[in-house]
Short mmCIF file of all heavy atoms in Angstrom, two decimals:
data_model
loop_
_atom_site.label_atom_id
_atom_site.label_comp_id
_atom_site.label_asym_id
_atom_site.label_seq_id
_atom_site.Cartn_x
_atom_site.Cartn_y
_atom_site.Cartn_z
N GLU A 378 -40.42 -4.64 -0.87
CA GLU A 378 -41.85 -4.92 -0.71
C GLU A 378 -42.12 -5.82 0.49
O GLU A 378 -43.07 -5.61 1.24
CB GLU A 378 -42.41 -5.55 -1.99
CG GLU A 378 -42.50 -4.60 -3.16
CD GLU A 378 -43.41 -3.42 -2.89
OE1 GLU A 378 -44.44 -3.62 -2.20
OE2 GLU A 378 -43.09 -2.31 -3.34
N GLU A 379 -41.26 -6.83 0.67
CA GLU A 379 -41.51 -7.76 1.78
C GLU A 379 -41.37 -7.09 3.13
O GLU A 379 -42.03 -7.48 4.11
CB GLU A 379 -40.57 -8.98 1.70
CG GLU A 379 -39.09 -8.64 1.71
CD GLU A 379 -38.50 -8.50 0.32
OE1 GLU A 379 -39.25 -8.04 -0.58
OE2 GLU A 379 -37.33 -8.83 0.14
N LEU A 380 -40.50 -6.06 3.20
CA LEU A 380 -40.35 -5.33 4.46
C LEU A 380 -41.47 -4.32 4.65
O LEU A 380 -41.88 -4.02 5.76
CB LEU A 380 -38.99 -4.65 4.51
CG LEU A 380 -37.78 -5.59 4.59
CD1 LEU A 380 -36.49 -4.80 4.60
CD2 LEU A 380 -37.86 -6.44 5.84
N LYS A 381 -41.97 -3.78 3.54
CA LYS A 381 -43.10 -2.86 3.62
C LYS A 381 -44.35 -3.57 4.16
O LYS A 381 -45.20 -2.97 4.81
CB LYS A 381 -43.40 -2.27 2.24
CG LYS A 381 -42.38 -1.25 1.77
CD LYS A 381 -42.76 -0.70 0.40
CE LYS A 381 -41.74 0.33 -0.08
NZ LYS A 381 -42.08 0.85 -1.42
N ARG A 382 -44.41 -4.88 3.88
CA ARG A 382 -45.55 -5.66 4.38
C ARG A 382 -45.40 -6.03 5.85
O ARG A 382 -46.26 -6.66 6.44
CB ARG A 382 -45.71 -6.93 3.55
CG ARG A 382 -46.11 -6.68 2.10
CD ARG A 382 -46.55 -7.99 1.44
NE ARG A 382 -45.48 -8.97 1.43
CZ ARG A 382 -44.63 -9.14 0.42
NH1 ARG A 382 -44.73 -8.34 -0.66
NH2 ARG A 382 -43.68 -10.05 0.46
N GLY A 383 -44.24 -5.63 6.43
CA GLY A 383 -44.02 -5.89 7.84
C GLY A 383 -43.33 -7.20 8.14
O GLY A 383 -43.28 -7.62 9.30
N ASP A 384 -42.80 -7.86 7.12
CA ASP A 384 -42.09 -9.11 7.34
C ASP A 384 -40.82 -8.86 8.15
O ASP A 384 -40.21 -7.79 8.07
CB ASP A 384 -41.71 -9.77 6.01
CG ASP A 384 -42.94 -10.21 5.24
OD1 ASP A 384 -44.03 -10.26 5.85
OD2 ASP A 384 -42.82 -10.51 4.04
N GLN A 385 -40.43 -9.85 8.94
CA GLN A 385 -39.26 -9.71 9.80
C GLN A 385 -37.98 -9.72 8.99
O GLN A 385 -37.87 -10.41 7.98
CB GLN A 385 -39.23 -10.86 10.82
CG GLN A 385 -38.12 -10.73 11.86
CD GLN A 385 -38.19 -11.85 12.88
OE1 GLN A 385 -39.14 -12.62 12.90
NE2 GLN A 385 -37.17 -11.93 13.72
N CYS A 386 -36.98 -8.93 9.43
CA CYS A 386 -35.67 -8.93 8.78
C CYS A 386 -35.00 -10.28 8.98
O CYS A 386 -35.01 -10.82 10.08
CB CYS A 386 -34.77 -7.83 9.36
SG CYS A 386 -35.36 -6.17 9.03
N GLU A 387 -34.43 -10.81 7.97
CA GLU A 387 -33.74 -12.09 8.05
C GLU A 387 -32.23 -11.86 8.03
O GLU A 387 -31.73 -11.05 7.26
CB GLU A 387 -34.14 -12.99 6.88
CG GLU A 387 -35.60 -13.40 6.87
CD GLU A 387 -35.93 -14.35 8.00
OE1 GLU A 387 -35.01 -15.02 8.51
OE2 GLU A 387 -37.11 -14.42 8.39
N SER A 388 -31.52 -12.59 8.88
CA SER A 388 -30.06 -12.45 8.93
C SER A 388 -29.40 -12.95 7.66
O SER A 388 -28.26 -12.61 7.37
CB SER A 388 -29.50 -13.21 10.14
OG SER A 388 -29.84 -14.58 10.05
N SER A 389 -30.15 -13.76 6.87
CA SER A 389 -29.59 -14.30 5.63
C SER A 389 -29.81 -13.36 4.44
O SER A 389 -29.54 -13.73 3.30
CB SER A 389 -30.22 -15.66 5.33
OG SER A 389 -31.63 -15.54 5.23
N LEU A 390 -30.31 -12.18 4.72
CA LEU A 390 -30.61 -11.22 3.65
C LEU A 390 -29.40 -10.93 2.79
O LEU A 390 -28.28 -10.75 3.29
CB LEU A 390 -31.13 -9.93 4.30
CG LEU A 390 -31.48 -8.77 3.38
CD1 LEU A 390 -32.68 -8.02 3.93
CD2 LEU A 390 -30.29 -7.80 3.27
N ILE A 391 -29.60 -10.89 1.48
CA ILE A 391 -28.52 -10.60 0.52
C ILE A 391 -28.80 -9.26 -0.15
O ILE A 391 -29.88 -9.05 -0.71
CB ILE A 391 -28.42 -11.71 -0.55
CG1 ILE A 391 -28.08 -13.06 0.09
CG2 ILE A 391 -27.37 -11.35 -1.60
CD1 ILE A 391 -28.09 -14.22 -0.89
N PHE A 392 -27.82 -8.38 -0.08
CA PHE A 392 -27.99 -7.06 -0.71
C PHE A 392 -27.98 -7.19 -2.23
O PHE A 392 -27.19 -7.94 -2.80
CB PHE A 392 -26.88 -6.11 -0.27
CG PHE A 392 -26.98 -5.69 1.16
CD1 PHE A 392 -26.13 -6.22 2.12
CD2 PHE A 392 -27.94 -4.78 1.56
CE1 PHE A 392 -26.23 -5.84 3.45
CE2 PHE A 392 -28.05 -4.39 2.89
CZ PHE A 392 -27.19 -4.92 3.84
N ARG A 393 -28.85 -6.43 -2.87
CA ARG A 393 -28.94 -6.43 -4.33
C ARG A 393 -28.02 -5.35 -4.91
O ARG A 393 -27.76 -4.34 -4.24
CB ARG A 393 -30.38 -6.17 -4.75
CG ARG A 393 -31.35 -7.23 -4.25
CD ARG A 393 -32.79 -6.76 -4.35
NE ARG A 393 -33.73 -7.75 -3.80
CZ ARG A 393 -35.00 -7.50 -3.52
NH1 ARG A 393 -35.50 -6.28 -3.74
NH2 ARG A 393 -35.78 -8.45 -3.02
N PRO A 394 -27.54 -5.55 -6.15
CA PRO A 394 -26.64 -4.56 -6.76
C PRO A 394 -27.20 -3.14 -6.76
O PRO A 394 -26.47 -2.18 -6.49
CB PRO A 394 -26.47 -5.09 -8.18
CG PRO A 394 -26.65 -6.57 -8.05
CD PRO A 394 -27.71 -6.74 -7.01
N GLU A 395 -28.50 -3.00 -7.04
CA GLU A 395 -29.10 -1.66 -7.06
C GLU A 395 -29.15 -1.04 -5.67
O GLU A 395 -29.11 0.20 -5.54
CB GLU A 395 -30.51 -1.71 -7.68
CG GLU A 395 -31.52 -2.56 -6.94
CD GLU A 395 -31.54 -4.02 -7.39
OE1 GLU A 395 -30.55 -4.45 -8.01
OE2 GLU A 395 -32.54 -4.70 -7.12
N GLU A 396 -29.21 -1.86 -4.63
CA GLU A 396 -29.19 -1.35 -3.26
C GLU A 396 -27.79 -0.89 -2.87
O GLU A 396 -27.62 0.16 -2.23
CB GLU A 396 -29.68 -2.43 -2.28
CG GLU A 396 -31.15 -2.75 -2.44
CD GLU A 396 -31.59 -3.95 -1.63
OE1 GLU A 396 -30.73 -4.79 -1.30
OE2 GLU A 396 -32.80 -4.06 -1.33
N ILE A 397 -26.80 -1.65 -3.27
CA ILE A 397 -25.40 -1.25 -3.00
C ILE A 397 -25.10 0.09 -3.67
O ILE A 397 -24.43 0.96 -3.10
CB ILE A 397 -24.43 -2.34 -3.52
CG1 ILE A 397 -24.61 -3.64 -2.75
CG2 ILE A 397 -22.99 -1.86 -3.43
CD1 ILE A 397 -24.26 -3.56 -1.29
N LYS A 398 -25.63 0.27 -4.86
CA LYS A 398 -25.39 1.51 -5.61
C LYS A 398 -25.97 2.73 -4.90
O LYS A 398 -25.43 3.84 -4.99
CB LYS A 398 -25.99 1.39 -7.01
CG LYS A 398 -25.61 2.52 -7.94
CD LYS A 398 -26.16 2.29 -9.34
CE LYS A 398 -25.77 3.42 -10.28
NZ LYS A 398 -26.30 3.20 -11.66
N LYS A 399 -27.04 2.54 -4.15
CA LYS A 399 -27.70 3.65 -3.47
C LYS A 399 -26.99 4.06 -2.17
O LYS A 399 -27.34 5.10 -1.59
CB LYS A 399 -29.15 3.27 -3.13
CG LYS A 399 -30.06 3.13 -4.34
CD LYS A 399 -31.45 2.71 -3.88
CE LYS A 399 -32.39 2.52 -5.05
NZ LYS A 399 -33.74 2.06 -4.61
N MET A 400 -26.05 3.28 -1.71
CA MET A 400 -25.41 3.54 -0.40
C MET A 400 -24.36 4.64 -0.51
O MET A 400 -23.15 4.40 -0.51
CB MET A 400 -24.81 2.24 0.14
CG MET A 400 -25.85 1.19 0.44
SD MET A 400 -25.13 -0.35 1.09
CE MET A 400 -26.59 -1.37 1.26
N ASP A 401 -24.83 5.87 -0.60
CA ASP A 401 -23.93 7.02 -0.77
C ASP A 401 -23.09 7.30 0.47
O ASP A 401 -21.91 7.64 0.35
CB ASP A 401 -24.74 8.27 -1.14
CG ASP A 401 -25.26 8.22 -2.56
OD1 ASP A 401 -24.47 8.45 -3.48
OD2 ASP A 401 -26.45 7.93 -2.76
N TYR A 402 -23.71 7.19 1.64
CA TYR A 402 -22.94 7.49 2.86
C TYR A 402 -21.83 6.45 3.06
O TYR A 402 -20.71 6.79 3.45
CB TYR A 402 -23.85 7.54 4.08
CG TYR A 402 -23.15 8.13 5.29
CD1 TYR A 402 -23.16 9.50 5.53
CD2 TYR A 402 -22.44 7.31 6.17
CE1 TYR A 402 -22.49 10.05 6.61
CE2 TYR A 402 -21.78 7.85 7.27
CZ TYR A 402 -21.80 9.21 7.48
OH TYR A 402 -21.11 9.75 8.56
N LEU A 403 -22.13 5.19 2.81
CA LEU A 403 -21.10 4.14 2.91
C LEU A 403 -19.99 4.39 1.90
O LEU A 403 -18.80 4.23 2.23
CB LEU A 403 -21.73 2.77 2.68
CG LEU A 403 -20.78 1.57 2.67
CD1 LEU A 403 -19.98 1.49 3.97
CD2 LEU A 403 -21.54 0.28 2.42
N HIS A 404 -20.37 4.81 0.70
CA HIS A 404 -19.37 5.15 -0.33
C HIS A 404 -18.47 6.28 0.16
O HIS A 404 -17.24 6.24 0.00
CB HIS A 404 -20.10 5.57 -1.61
CG HIS A 404 -19.25 5.52 -2.83
ND1 HIS A 404 -19.51 4.69 -3.89
CD2 HIS A 404 -18.11 6.20 -3.19
CE1 HIS A 404 -18.60 4.85 -4.84
NE2 HIS A 404 -17.74 5.78 -4.43
N ALA A 405 -19.08 7.28 0.80
CA ALA A 405 -18.32 8.41 1.33
C ALA A 405 -17.40 7.97 2.47
O ALA A 405 -16.25 8.42 2.57
CB ALA A 405 -19.27 9.50 1.81
N ALA A 406 -17.90 7.09 3.34
CA ALA A 406 -17.10 6.62 4.48
C ALA A 406 -15.88 5.82 4.01
O ALA A 406 -14.80 5.93 4.59
CB ALA A 406 -17.97 5.77 5.40
N LEU A 407 -16.06 5.02 2.97
CA LEU A 407 -14.93 4.26 2.41
C LEU A 407 -13.93 5.19 1.73
O LEU A 407 -12.71 5.01 1.85
CB LEU A 407 -15.44 3.21 1.42
CG LEU A 407 -16.14 2.00 2.06
CD1 LEU A 407 -16.95 1.23 1.01
CD2 LEU A 407 -15.12 1.07 2.72
N SER A 408 -14.43 6.19 1.01
CA SER A 408 -13.54 7.15 0.35
C SER A 408 -12.74 7.95 1.37
O SER A 408 -11.56 8.23 1.16
CB SER A 408 -14.37 8.11 -0.53
OG SER A 408 -15.03 7.41 -1.56
N GLU A 409 -13.39 8.30 2.47
CA GLU A 409 -12.70 9.04 3.52
C GLU A 409 -11.61 8.19 4.16
O GLU A 409 -10.52 8.69 4.50
CB GLU A 409 -13.72 9.50 4.57
CG GLU A 409 -13.14 10.33 5.70
CD GLU A 409 -12.73 11.75 5.29
OE1 GLU A 409 -12.64 12.03 4.07
OE2 GLU A 409 -12.49 12.57 6.19
N ALA A 410 -11.87 6.88 4.30
CA ALA A 410 -10.84 5.97 4.83
C ALA A 410 -9.66 5.88 3.85
O ALA A 410 -8.50 5.87 4.27
CB ALA A 410 -11.44 4.59 5.07
N LEU A 411 -9.96 5.83 2.57
CA LEU A 411 -8.91 5.77 1.55
C LEU A 411 -8.13 7.08 1.46
O LEU A 411 -6.95 7.09 1.13
CB LEU A 411 -9.52 5.45 0.18
CG LEU A 411 -9.81 3.97 -0.08
CD1 LEU A 411 -10.75 3.82 -1.28
CD2 LEU A 411 -8.52 3.20 -0.31
N ARG A 412 -8.80 8.19 1.76
CA ARG A 412 -8.10 9.48 1.76
C ARG A 412 -7.03 9.50 2.84
O ARG A 412 -5.90 9.93 2.61
CB ARG A 412 -9.10 10.62 2.00
CG ARG A 412 -8.48 12.01 2.05
CD ARG A 412 -9.52 13.06 2.37
NE ARG A 412 -9.94 13.03 3.76
CZ ARG A 412 -9.30 13.62 4.77
NH1 ARG A 412 -8.17 14.29 4.54
NH2 ARG A 412 -9.76 13.56 6.00
#
Side-chain angles (χ1 to χ4, degrees):
E378 289 299 324
E379 58 267 33
L380 292 178
K381 287 181 180 179
R382 293 193 299 267
D384 294 346
Q385 185 177 351
C386 294
E387 296 291 337
S388 59
S389 59
L390 179 144
I391 298 175
F392 290 105
R393 299 165 183 166
E395 61 271 19
E396 292 171 337
I397 295 295
K398 189 176 181 180
K399 291 178 181 178
M400 296 180 182
D401 287 283
Y402 192 88
L403 177 57
H404 199 117
L407 287 164
S408 297
E409 182 72 346
L411 279 165
R412 179 184 73 84

